[in-house]
Amino acid sequence: MHNELDLTRARAAADAALDAAERDGKRISVTVVDHRGHDVFAVRGDGAPWFTVGVARAKAATAALMGAASGDLAGLRAAHPDLLGLIGAQTTQPMTTLAGGVPVRLDGRVVGAIGVSGADPDEDVSFARAGIAALKSTAERSGA
């Protein structure tokens, strides 16, 4: 379906994020999730720490489920300290305010998210955005 995340698009996103990180000499992991925060594709880049895939997954799931960048939710946590924990308890994924999870919007709606972990927070966001650009380019070429 044209407005869904599929494996081809998820791989293109992950590859683009990994390539951007490699150009900057960073070792990252990338997780692409669907709109429910469930994995579509996850990869730990060469040399990335073992735990980064799980952190990338939490960032991506948070962005998909909340429809906002994971790092943008720090204000919500500050204003309502218990809220993200309560939301997370209703999902299968942990919620986080660590930067690096960015929602993917196609046809004006959130269809998933990409999460990156392993670099500095601003770099994680930049690599995630590189992945989203590749994903959208793949979607356009496929007639989405």
Side-chain angles (χ1 to χ4, degrees):
M1 190 174 224
H2 73 282
N3 57 359
E4 300 296 330
L5 266 177
D6 60 17
L7 183 57
T8 299
R9 292 174 185 161
R11 280 187 179 163
D15 286 344
L18 287 167
D19 289 347
E22 187 174 332
R23 284 191 298 273
D24 285 355
K26 304 297 179 175
R27 304 289 178 232
I28 64 165
S29 291
V30 182
T31 302
V32 180
V33 301
D34 65 18
H35 69 282
R36 291 186 179 106
H38 297 181
D39 289 3
V40 177
F41 188 76
V43 61
R44 180 170 58 99
D46 292 337
W50 65 269
F51 58 85
T52 56
V53 173
V55 175
R57 179 176 290 114
K59 291 176 178 185
T62 299
L65 293 168
M66 299 299 289
S70 57
D72 291 349
L73 299 173
L76 179 65
R77 175 170 274 163
H80 308 284
D82 295 335
L83 187 57
L84 282 182
L86 292 170
I87 294 168
Q90 299 175 63
T91 72
T92 60
Q93 304 295 337
M95 306 294 276
T96 184
T97 60
L98 293 171
V102 181
V104 175
R105 288 182 174 80
L106 294 176
D107 295 334
R109 67 182 186 95
V110 175
V111 296
I114 182 169
V116 173
S117 178
D120 291 333
D122 289 344
E123 293 171 318
D124 286 347
V125 170
S126 175
F127 302 146
R129 288 187 177 142
I132 290 172
L135 185 149
K136 288 185 175 182
S137 176
T138 302
E140 289 169 5
R141 284 195 309 271
S142 69

